[in-house]
Amino acid sequence: MILPIYLYGSQVLREKAAEADLDEREELTKLLEDMYETMKNADGCGLAAPQVGRSLRVLIVDGSDLADRYPELADFIRRMINPVFTFKSEEMCTYCEGCLSIPNIDADIERPKVVRIKYIDENFREKEEEFDGFAARMLQHEMDHLDGVVFTDRAAPIRKKMLGSKLNNISKGNVTTSYRVKTDKL
Ligand code: ZN
């Protein structure tokens, strides 16, 4: 089921999401399916549960549409429940980011280049993996959503200032998207 995506300015995007209850397997499996369908419908490469109005520590990423630029991502799909960082490199790197909750805006964001994450996968098995490059980038962006942080919070002050009125418009729902969106007011 395709769900509406909550826009910048929605309260749920600013909350610290709760740990998912691993006993609720059926519900979590359904949530992961709905999130995947919602993300693909919106041509996104990542989505966190708060973006569909569920304040839970659940995220998905899919790099297949980015394979032109990043061939290593052709088969890169992860579904993560209750992910936690176990390592962040001191080495940083910068990529241009965007977000389905903040349509038509992008910004260069600096983050650690390599991260390691411990998580529960879609088969409810515990895993720990290291990610580098754009895969690490996508995951850090989605992990931020679980703590109520959006990428524009991390933009350079001057860029943030330039984006101010656009962000304000988005929070009022004054934005055109190819997918269904929601704000606290809409
Ligand atoms: Zn996002």
Side-chain angles (χ1 to χ4, degrees):
M1 187 170 62
I2 294 169
L3 306 168
I5 293 177
Y6 281 70
L7 291 176
Y8 180 93
S10 304
Q11 180 57 32
V12 68
L13 294 180
R14 291 308 192 181
E15 285 166 10
K16 190 172 165 64
E19 290 230 340
D21 180 352
L22 298 176
D23 291 333
E24 307 272 343
R25 286 196 179 201
E26 226 169 281
E27 201 195 327
L28 286 169
T29 301
K30 172 84 173 109
L31 176 62
L32 285 169
E33 278 171 19
D34 288 347
M35 284 171 62
Y36 192 78
E37 213 180 319
T38 301
M39 177 187 73
K40 288 311 246 185
N41 175 65
D43 290 326
C45 61
L47 195 69
Q51 292 181 274
V52 292
R54 301 290 305 277
S55 194
L56 285 175
R57 305 190 79 79
V58 173
L59 66 83
I60 57 175
V61 289
D62 179 349
S64 54
D65 288 346
L66 304 169
D68 286 353
R69 261 180 303 162
Y70 308 106
E72 71 278 12
L73 296 181
D75 300 314
F76 181 70
I77 298 180
R78 291 293 183 280
R79 296 171 174 87
M80 297 186 173
I81 302 167
N82 297 341
V84 287
F85 290 112
T86 54
F87 171 77
K88 288 182 185 180
S89 67
E90 273 178 38
E91 189 186 348
M92 305 290 274
C93 67
T94 299
Y95 282 105
C96 187
E97 295 186 25
C99 180
L100 293 175
S101 293
I102 315 180
N104 312 327
I105 282 185
D106 56 36
D108 284 334
I109 308 292
E110 190 185 48
R111 297 184 190 267
K113 182 176 179 290
V114 180
V115 295
R116 204 176 301 137
I117 300 176
K118 201 157 95 173
Y119 66 97
I120 307 295
D121 75 4
E122 65 274 29
N123 299 311
F124 296 91
R125 291 194 197 104
E126 190 175 287
K127 293 210 168 146
E128 185 166 9
E129 277 186 279
E130 191 164 286
F131 303 95
D132 195 349
F134 204 74
R137 172 54 49 123
M138 293 157 77
L139 285 162
Q140 289 178 83
H141 175 117
E142 301 311 330
M143 294 276 278
D144 262 355
H145 278 302
L146 308 184
D147 291 325
V149 175
V150 295
F151 80 98
T152 49
D153 299 345
R154 297 189 184 276
I158 179 124
R159 182 77 181 128
K160 231 191 281 188
K161 211 168 167 190
M162 282 168 62
L163 293 174
S165 65
K166 275 191 179 180
L167 290 172
N168 197 24
N169 273 323
I170 292 171
S171 67
K172 291 179 186 148
N174 297 331
V175 66
T176 308
T177 53
S178 63
Y179 46 92
R180 201 149 60 95
V181 293
K182 206 171 158 29
T183 71
D184 294 343
K185 287 154 210 139
L186 282 178

